[in-house]
Structure formats: C-alpha cells, structure tokens
Amino acid sequence: MSDPELKMSFQPTVIEHLGVKMYKNTVPAIAELVANAYDAGATVAEVFLYDKPEHKIVIRDNGIGMSFDEINDFYLRIGRNRRKEGQPSINNRKPTGKKGLGKLALFGLGNKIEISTVKNGEKVIFALNYKEILNSEGDYRPQFNTSVDSSAPDGTTITLTELTKKQGYPLDNYVEHLARLFNFPDPNFSIQMSLNGGEVKVIDSHLKYKSVTPQFEWNYEELIQTDALAEKAEKYTSSGLINGKFITTEKPLKNNMKGITLFANGRMVNAPEFFRSSESSYFYSYLTGWLNVDFIDDDNEDLISTDRTSLDWKQPVTTMLRNFLEEVVAVIASDWRKKRKEEKEKKIKNEHNIDLSDWQNKLPSDVKKPVQEILKGVDDSELTESEQAKVIKALHILIPEYPYYHWRHLHPDLHAACNDYYNNRKDYLSAAIEAVKIFEDKVQDKTGIRNSDGYKLLEKAFGSNNSILLLTDNSNQSEKNLEDGLEKMACGVWTGFRNPVQHDLRNKLYPDVFNDKDALDLLSLISYLLRKVEQTHKRSKKSDNS
C-alpha cells in the first residue's frame, strides 16, 4: 500500500461546475455511474431508488471493484483520461468514458456519497462530503476504513444521501429515459431499477424503442448501398464506420422520441436530432432511430460535450458527419413519403374500394386539379393513415370518378333506363345507344308521331319552319336560330351516332371512333335534349300527325 490516506486534489470550483451545475437531473447523473459499472466489467448495474422512509439513491454493480491504490490513483483523480493512460479494458469492452468527471455527477443531486468497493477480498469504504470538499481548499482527505473478506464478491456500491431535492421518483419515466442514453455493444450487460424495494425493471438496449410501433424501417448499412446514397457514401470516408437503424411510425411520436440519437462506444454522444437546417416538415414527427459512431469517441480531439448531449459540430470531422447525415435523412424523407403514399393508397383501396390513381384519372380537368391539391394537403398533414382515409372517402363521395360525377347530372329518364349499362357494366357506349332510343321515345310521346323514321321524326319535331315542337315564340331571328340549332343537334345525334352504331359492327367503332369519353359526352348532350323536349310546346297551327 503506497499511501495510508485517501486524497483528492482539485480546485473546489471544479466540483461545483462539473458536478452540481452539470448534473441537476437525476437520470443523467445515474447514467454516469451506470457507465462506470459497464467499464468495470459488470454484468449488471442495479439502481435502487428510495423516497420513503428516507430519500436516497443506491447504485450497485458486480464489476471488478477497486483496490485502495486504484481509488487513490484513478477514482479520486479529477479529469483523468483512462484511455491515454492505457488502463486495460475489462471483458474486451472499450471504456465509455475518458474525461474522468463521472464521479462528480451525484453531487448535482446530493451532498453525501458513500462508496463501498471490494476487489480480491479487499474491502474499502469511504465517503465524499460535498460541503467538506468545498471547504478543503483543493486537498480533500475523505474518511475511510478497510477490511479483508475473502468471501465478499467483487463490485462497488455507491449510496447517495442528503439529497438536495426530496421528490418522488417516476420509475417508468426514469427507466425509459435511462434506456435512451445507452446502446452498449455487450449484450451481457443489463441495468435494473426499482423503487422502494418493489418491482425490478430491467433496462436493455431494446427498451428505448419498446413503445414505438414501426411502420417502416431502414437499416443504415443497406440504405447507403441504394442508388440514392451509394455515391455519397463512397465519397464520405467514414460512412463504413457507422451502423444503426431508422424507424418511422404511423402516428406522430412523443417529442422525446423524435430524432436520431448518436451513440459512441455504447453511450449517447448527441441527443436526438435530424441534422438538417430546416426541420419544419411534418416528416420529422414520425422519425426516430439511432446510429453508432464510435469513431467520433476514438478521435484524438475531444468532440463530445461533457454532458454528452451534443457533439462539437464546428470541427472538420463532425462537420463532414453532419453533412453526410443530412443527405441520409433527406433520402429517408423522400422514401418515406413514397412508402406512406403507397401504403395509404393500398389501405384506401382495400377498405373503401377507392383507387386513388384511377379516380384522379377519371376526373374532368377543371375538377382534377383542385382535388389533387386537396389530396396533397391531406398527404402533407399529420393525420394518421386511418384519418386520411376518412377524409379521402368523404371527398370521394362528394366528387367521385368522372363517370359517377357525370351520372349525377344526367336526366332522370336516363337514370332509369341506362343504369345497368352505365353503373353495373361500365359500358358507356351501350348506355349512349340506349339514351338515343329514350330520346326518340320522348319525342314521339311529345309529338304523338309514331309512323316516321327517327331522322324524319326529329325534322318534323324541331326547327323554326313547320316544326311541331317549339321552345320559343319563334317571333324573331334569335329565337328562330335557337329552334334551328335544336333541330340540328337532334338530327346530328341521329346521323352521326345512332345510324353508325345501328348499322356497323361495334368493334369497328369502339374505341377508335367512339371511346368512353365520347359516349359520356353524348349522354350529356342527350340529357340536354331531353330537358329541352320537356320545355317545348306544340305549334298550335300544326296537326300532331302531320
């Protein structure tokens, strides 16, 4: 034993600034001691929270513990960089910390820390008192005692008392928060947390995303091999040193789950963010995930903030990382919109029998554009797929595909006679042929003429000269033009449509001469003529059968 006393050397203000002011929240402070347990080769770190009958926090691990000399040489040295000193790793674990400040974390929560540690049967118990340290003028000698117990298992227990905040501990929130701070590569390490000796909550690397129900996922290694990123990944020399996963959800995430977390050697080094200058897109409400960037922690420069919530993004190595991650997130955003649109369209088609593409293609041009603008607004909203489907279904009811939209405005006589062809068979040409027959019958009923062919019937029925049916008084040239125009339209339908389809094979006319759009237009024209027939009156000087 090289020194019969334990001694901590420092400037008292260091304890205040790096302990009290940096670790005012419980979970980040506990995280520092959990990391120490991992670095000590432990397989489990147990966190015991007590808010009754007294307030205290206990962290116990089954790592290798510390000898008296190691406490003096390593633990009580503020700011020691164990990596530069070449201290060996335990269980092939690369040390997660290198600043030597984690021991100060609990001073942000309480005034007294008791450490009990065992290594190879040597047990050392000592206490650190915050107030005494501040009054020590930089040379603090904590009280301690040592003993030998060959049966005692190796490990360290740290107890924090005289807490500055006596509050209850929301166990589930603490468990979820602590899980988000770690991504340890060794699966043989777990964290356990309990409150007042009650149920033990086990925390592992999967727990942080347990509450997240993925809709789409992207594996980083696969993503950078896609056409969208392969060239960029090749140019960024560190792209192959990264691994991780991106997840998007159907519903917006809680704020504390949004963004990509960066880990290095198992610990968070950058709180969740999106690495883009503009984060206003609704896409960011659905994106979460993590990336392991160990090379950042292995850099010769210290690129990680002391509280481990942010990298120093002003350095060349981190700037290149940010620029690359910005490209990656942009590709995910684009692919997400595509996947989400496809998923939504599939769901709407299966559940509501609406083919979005077919629907839009069958809308008239003056209606199609505003409908597409509405659909884009729905797609860009934060509505879930189910909520979007309800909106789109309602819009489809108001504005269906053009044939159904068109159907609403046809004459009631056509609804009655053409429904089977139009709505059931989708045979618009046959519907138009049937409509011409309906028109002919309507004119016959109105005029009383039953013994003339169709064309002669229409010539006798309409026109300004010697016609049976009139819309106007036929007293001026404008009215005469209107009457003659009605005659030409009626006779034109007969000559240009009724006669060809009656005397020629259907496959010679459809769809090259008359297509579905032509047939729908003809139905509109016939609907118009039917309404005009209803408005006409018989010429008083003419016989009904002349």
Side-chain angles (χ1 to χ4, degrees):
M1 185 177 295
S2 60
D3 194 335
E5 291 184 322
L6 295 178
K7 182 173 66 176
M8 176 186 286
S9 299
F10 56 90
Q11 289 296 319
T13 54
V14 171
I15 307 297
E16 182 179 4
H17 288 289
L18 298 182
V20 176
K21 293 187 177 180
M22 288 197 63
Y23 295 97
K24 291 185 177 181
N25 295 320
T26 303
V27 175
I30 291 174
E32 290 294 335
L33 301 186
V34 169
N36 287 348
Y38 181 83
D39 291 345
T43 58
V44 61
E46 299 173 285
V47 181
F48 305 94
L49 305 173
Y50 298 91
D51 58 14
K52 58 184 179 182
E54 62 175 325
H55 286 75
K56 66 178 180 179
I57 299 173
V58 180
I59 297 94
R60 182 174 67 199
D61 70 64
N62 63 348
I64 62 171
M66 295 178 286
S67 66
F68 190 93
D69 287 344
E70 287 172 335
I71 294 171
N72 255 341
D73 295 340
F74 303 140
Y75 189 82
L76 294 181
R77 284 177 53 202
I78 305 300
R80 177 186 66 89
N81 189 324
R82 63 180 296 171
R83 296 188 200 174
K84 288 185 177 180
E85 293 181 0
Q87 187 174 347
S89 60
I90 311 300
N91 294 340
N92 295 318
R93 296 174 181 174
K94 183 176 290 187
T96 64
K98 61 181 180 180
K99 292 182 178 6
L101 302 175
K103 62 184 69 67
L104 305 179
L106 289 183
F107 284 131
L109 305 180
N111 293 317
K112 187 176 180 180
I113 305 171
E114 182 181 278
I115 299 97
S116 175
T117 183
V118 179
K119 184 171 186 178
N120 299 327
E122 178 188 3
K123 185 174 184 178
V124 182
I125 300 176
F126 62 101
L128 304 177
N129 187 292
Y130 178 63
K131 293 179 180 179
E132 292 177 359
I133 290 173
L134 291 183
N135 294 325
S136 66
E137 297 183 356
D139 193 2
Y140 177 62
R141 289 173 168 79
Q143 294 181 349
F144 70 93
N145 65 70
T146 62
S147 61
V148 176
D149 184 353
S150 58
S151 64
D154 290 349
T156 300
T157 300
I158 298 177
T159 303
L160 175 66
T161 56
E162 297 183 13
L163 304 187
T164 54
K165 293 181 181 179
K166 293 180 172 59
Q167 59 186 22
Y169 299 114
L171 182 62
D172 289 339
N173 290 346
Y174 279 16
V175 166
E176 183 180 337
H177 187 179
L178 191 60
R180 294 199 302 271
L181 301 180
F182 296 108
N183 196 33
F184 291 121
D186 189 342
N188 296 316
F189 177 76
S190 68
I191 308 166
Q192 298 178 3
M193 183 177 283
S194 64
L195 175 62
N196 298 322
E199 179 187 2
V200 175
K201 303 282 187 176
V202 179
I203 306 170
D204 59 29
S205 60
H206 302 291
L207 183 63
K208 55 180 167 288
Y209 297 103
K210 184 178 180 180
S211 62
V212 174
T213 302
Q215 183 182 31
F216 306 117
E217 297 183 59
W218 294 262
N219 181 279
Y220 170 83
E221 290 92 336
E222 295 174 358
L223 185 65
I224 63 171
Q225 295 178 28
T226 61
D227 292 341
L229 280 174
E231 184 176 347
K232 295 181 176 67
E234 187 175 350
K235 290 181 179 178
Y236 178 51
T237 56
S238 297
S239 64
L241 302 177
I242 303 172
N243 63 77
K245 180 180 288 187
F246 305 93
I247 300 171
T248 56
T249 56
E250 182 179 351
K251 296 181 179 180
L253 291 156
K254 296 178 181 178
N255 286 334
N256 61 10
M257 292 301 296
K258 297 176 183 177
I260 308 303
T261 307
L262 300 186
F263 294 92
N265 295 318
R267 296 191 63 185
M268 186 180 78
V269 294
N270 200 81
E273 64 165 295
F274 303 105
F275 314 105
R276 305 193 71 186
S277 56
S278 174
E279 298 178 6
S280 60
S281 172
Y282 69 104
F283 160 68
Y284 298 112
S285 296
Y286 301 86
L287 177 65
T288 188
W290 72 93
L291 292 174
N292 295 313
V293 289
D294 294 353
F295 66 95
I296 290 294
D297 197 18
D298 299 336
D299 195 87
N300 292 328
E301 295 292 329
D302 191 354
L303 304 173
I304 305 169
S305 65
T306 302
D307 63 359
R308 308 188 73 87
T309 60
S310 176
L311 296 180
D312 181 357
W313 292 108
K314 296 179 181 179
Q315 302 300 320
V317 63
T318 51
T319 299
M320 288 188 291
L321 173 63
R322 175 177 284 280
N323 291 340
F324 179 65
L325 293 182
E326 181 177 359
E327 299 279 3
V328 171
V329 172
V331 168
I332 294 173
S334 177
D335 195 37
W336 173 78
R337 289 184 174 87
K338 179 182 176 182
K339 289 177 180 291
R340 193 172 188 243
K341 183 178 180 182
E342 291 173 350
E343 190 73 12
K344 177 185 65 181
E345 291 182 356
K346 181 180 178 181
K347 187 172 185 178
I348 290 173
K349 187 172 183 178
N350 291 338
E351 295 183 4
H352 304 291
N353 198 30
I354 301 173
D355 186 321
L356 288 177
S357 178
D358 184 63
W359 171 33
Q360 294 174 70
N361 290 335
K362 289 182 177 178
L363 289 173
S365 57
D366 59 327
V367 176
K368 183 176 182 178
K369 185 174 180 180
V371 166
Q372 288 178 330
E373 289 177 353
I374 294 172
L375 292 176
K376 185 179 185 302
V378 172
D379 191 51
D380 289 345
S381 71
E382 292 194 7
L383 297 174
T384 65
E385 286 181 3
S386 297
E387 292 167 339
Q388 288 189 34
K390 290 180 181 179
V391 174
I392 292 172
K393 181 183 178 182
L395 181 63
H396 183 262
I397 291 173
L398 292 173
I399 311 173
E401 290 86 346
Y402 178 68
Y404 304 113
Y405 182 76
H406 171 270
W407 174 257
R408 294 176 179 175
H409 304 285
L410 294 180
H411 192 279
D413 287 358
L414 300 184
H415 285 173
C418 302
N419 182 64
D420 184 50
Y421 287 121
Y422 196 110
N423 290 315
N424 298 332
R425 305 187 195 184
K426 308 292 187 295
D427 183 353
Y428 305 119
L429 183 63
S430 293
I433 294 171
E434 194 70 15
V436 174
K437 296 176 183 178
I438 299 300
F439 174 58
E440 181 182 356
D441 286 346
K442 191 86 169 183
V443 173
Q444 287 178 346
D445 291 342
K446 190 80 171 181
T447 62
I449 300 174
R450 296 288 179 181
N451 58 355
S452 178
D453 69 26
Y455 188 86
K456 290 181 179 179
L457 168 67
L458 299 176
E459 275 190 316
K460 290 179 180 180
F462 302 107
S464 62
N465 297 320
N466 303 315
S467 63
I468 298 174
L469 303 177
L470 289 174
L471 277 169
T472 69
D473 291 335
N474 203 26
S475 59
N476 57 53
Q477 189 59 47
S478 292
E479 291 181 349
K480 291 179 184 295
N481 290 342
L482 181 59
E483 299 294 345
D484 290 340
L486 189 59
E487 176 190 7
K488 289 180 173 60
M489 276 191 282
C491 292
V493 168
W494 197 267
T495 302
F497 178 70
R498 178 70 168 83
N499 282 342
V501 297
Q502 185 175 7
H503 297 106
D504 236 326
L505 293 174
R506 183 187 181 100
N507 60 11
K508 289 185 178 181
L509 299 173
Y510 180 85
D512 295 331
V513 177
F514 297 116
N515 57 33
D516 283 343
K517 185 65 168 62
D518 296 330
L520 293 172
D521 290 342
L522 280 162
L523 282 162
S524 293
L525 178 56
I526 295 165
S527 184
Y528 167 81
L529 291 172
L530 283 171
R531 290 189 173 91
K532 291 304 177 187
V533 169
E534 292 174 344
Q535 296 171 21
T536 60
H537 55 276
K538 289 184 179 180
R539 187 190 293 268
S540 59
K541 294 181 180 181
K542 292 190 72 67
S543 167
D544 287 348
N545 291 298
S546 60

Coordinates of all heavy atoms in Angstrom, one line a residue, residues 412 437 545:
P412 N -83.2 12.3 -65.3 CA -83.8 11.1 -64.6 C -84.2 10.0 -65.5 O -84.1 8.8 -65.1 CB -85.0 11.7 -63.8 CG -84.6 13.2 -63.7 CD -83.8 13.5 -64.9
K437 N -82.4 6.0 -77.9 CA -83.7 5.4 -78.0 C -84.7 6.1 -77.1 O -85.9 6.3 -77.4 CB -83.7 3.9 -77.7 CG -82.8 3.1 -78.7 CD -82.7 1.7 -78.2 CE -81.8 0.9 -79.1 NZ -81.7 -0.6 -78.7
N545 N -100.1 14.8 -86.2 CA -99.6 13.7 -87.0 C -99.3 14.2 -88.4 O -99.2 13.3 -89.3 CB -100.7 12.6 -87.1 CG -100.9 11.9 -85.8 OD1 -100.0 11.3 -85.3 ND2 -102.1 12.0 -85.2

